[in-house]
C-alpha cells in the first residue's frame, strides 16, 4: 500500500498543476483579447488625461477644501 504522505504530496502537486494550467490559459486569453483590441483600433485611453466630469469633481473638492481652510483661519483655529 502507498505511503499516505506520498499520496498527499502527489495530490497537492496535481492540484497545483491544474491551477497553473488554468492561470496560464487565462493569461493567454487576456493577451489575445488585448491584441484583438489593438488590431481593431480600439480607442486608447490616455492615463494622464482626466475625464471632464472627473476634473470638475476634483476642482469642486479642491474648492471645498480651500473654503474649509479659510473658515478655520477666520474662526482662529490652527490647522
Amino acid at each position: 500500500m502507498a505511503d499516505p504522505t506520498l499520496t498527499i504530496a502527489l495530490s497537492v502537486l496535481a492540484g497545483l498543476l491544474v491551477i497553473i494550467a488554468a492561470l496560464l490559459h487565462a493569461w493567454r486569453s487576456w493577451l489575445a483579447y488585448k491584441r484583438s483590441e489593438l488590431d481593431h483600433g480600439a480607442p486608447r485611453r490616455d492615463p494622464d488625461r482626466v475625464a471632464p466630469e472627473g476634473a470638475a469633481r476634483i476642482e469642486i473638492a479642491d474648492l471645498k477644501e480651500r473654503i474649509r481652510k479659510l473658515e478655520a483661519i477666520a474662526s482662529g483655529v490652527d490647522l
Side-chain angles (χ1 to χ4, degrees):
M1 195 167 192
D3 184 30
T5 307
L6 180 63
T7 305
I8 292 171
L10 290 176
S11 299
V12 168
L13 182 62
L16 188 61
L17 289 175
V18 168
I19 291 171
I20 289 172
L23 289 173
L24 182 62
H25 176 71
W27 174 252
R28 288 181 178 167
S29 298
W30 183 79
L31 285 177
Y33 170 71
K34 288 298 179 180
R35 281 191 192 112
S36 70
E37 273 187 353
L38 290 174
D39 291 343
H40 289 56
R44 295 183 183 176
R45 293 173 41 198
D46 187 8
D48 294 332
R49 188 172 158 234
V50 179
E53 301 87 23
R57 288 183 185 161
I58 291 171
E59 187 174 342
I60 290 171
D62 186 40
L63 290 173
K64 285 181 180 180
E65 180 68 20
R66 288 181 186 179
I67 290 171
R68 187 185 68 77
K69 287 181 180 181
L70 288 173
E71 287 174 345
I73 290 171
S75 65
V77 177
D78 290 330
L79 295 178

